[in-house]
Structure formats: structure tokens, C-alpha cells
Amino acid sequence: MNLKRFDLLFIRGSSPLARLIQGVTYSPYSHVAIVLDEHHIAETDWRFPLQWNHNNYPPGQIDVYRYREEIESWKAEAMTGFIQNHIGTPYDFWQTITNGLYLLTGLPIRDAPNRLNCSETVDRMFAAAGINLTSDELGKATPADLVKSSHLQRIA
């Protein structure tokens, strides 16, 4: 697979939590990770803070999306800086829970300070480069919202 820096891996999880997220968001995706290079990703999930990991996702479990335009060098630097500055940031359980409650009941989405969930990380990383992937309030997008972005295209 020809992965490029800042491609997004949308993951179809199979755990009970992943299936709950997929059901509440009406999406096949429960998680999103950021490609750093052909073998490494940046990601956070309920088990660990934002970190660099080896990409161990099997091809049949992911879809790859890419930003439609060329990412200029200053934007790439801003996006890389965002990731580097947030490595170790704990997972935002509160936002994940309130995202679900918002979709089910309309209650407002809440952020926990100094925490990030997977889709919030992607949304804020692109915003650091002046790119708004969705019309949602910054950081309050789900993987389902991100995949609908007109700025992204599915490549695999």
C-alpha cells in the first residue's frame, strides 16, 4: 500500500466498544489514526495516550483517506508540530461519551481539558495548518463526520 504522511486510516473495529461506536455513529468506522510514514502511525484510544505506533492494522480492517490537495511544507510543519506537542496527551473519555449522548439525545458535546480522542486529534491536527475538515465545532467530529469531509478522498 502506498501510504503518505498525513493519510488517515479509518478502522473497522470488532470489539464490543468498537461496535457500540459504529452503531451510535451509523458508521462502519470506530477509530481513526494518522499515517506518519509507510510503517508508523500516530493514534490514541481508550487504552493509551497519543503516541507513535507501528502500523499493525490488517488491510482488510482499514480504509485509507487522503487530503485532496497538496499539503504545503508550512502546513506539514504545523501538523507535525501538533503531533509532536501532543504526544502523551491522555485519551478524552468525556468527549467520546458525550459525542454518543449528543447523537442519541442531543445533549451538548463536552471536552475534557488537555485530553484528545482519535477524531479530535485528526480534526485539531488539520486545523493547526488552517484546514477545517468539517463544519462541526473544532474537535467535536466523530470518525463518521471526518470520513464525510469533502476535503478527503478514499484511496484504498
Side-chain angles (χ1 to χ4, degrees), residues 89-95 111-117 120 124:
T89 299
Y91 187 76
D92 190 349
F93 290 99
W94 186 237
Q95 183 181 6
D111 275 322
N114 303 312
R115 292 179 174 265
L116 295 167
N117 69 16
E120 180 181 13
R124 291 185 182 280

Side-chain angles (χ1 to χ4, degrees), residues 1-149:
M1 190 176 302
N2 184 22
L3 296 175
K4 292 185 178 179
R5 187 167 186 80
F6 308 121
D7 282 352
L8 301 175
L9 304 182
F10 285 87
I11 293 101
R12 291 182 295 279
S14 58
S15 72
L17 179 59
R19 291 190 189 278
L20 177 64
I21 292 168
Q22 292 162 347
V24 169
T25 62
Y26 303 104
S27 170
Y29 308 111
S30 58
H31 183 59
V32 60
I34 302 160
V35 172
L36 300 174
D37 61 40
E38 186 70 28
H39 303 287
H40 299 94
I41 57 176
E43 67 177 332
T44 184
D45 80 9
W46 64 274
R47 299 167 295 177
F48 51 82
L50 182 63
Q51 57 188 278
W52 294 28
N53 288 325
H54 193 282
N55 179 12
N56 291 319
Y57 291 106
Q61 191 179 1
I62 62 170
D63 288 328
V64 181
Y65 283 73
R66 183 171 291 155
Y67 185 65
R68 289 183 183 275
E69 298 175 29
E70 181 179 336
I71 297 176
E72 301 165 54
S73 61
W74 73 268
K75 290 181 179 183
E77 288 175 20
M79 293 162 74
T80 299
F82 177 88
I83 293 170
Q84 290 173 338
N85 290 335
H86 289 87
I87 291 294
T89 299
Y91 187 76
D92 190 349
F93 290 99
W94 186 237
Q95 183 181 6
T96 300
I97 291 166
T98 60
N99 265 336
L101 291 172
Y102 170 77
L103 292 168
L104 292 171
T105 67
L107 289 172
I109 299 169
R110 303 278 187 221
D111 275 322
N114 303 312
R115 292 179 174 265
L116 295 167
N117 69 16
C118 65
S119 51
E120 180 181 13
T121 301
V122 168
D123 201 22
R124 291 185 182 280
M125 178 194 70
F126 275 92
I131 301 167
N132 295 319
L133 291 179
T134 73
S135 59
D136 296 325
E137 186 177 340
L138 178 61
K140 304 225 173 144
T142 66
D145 297 327
L146 292 172
V147 82
K148 294 175 192 169
S149 172

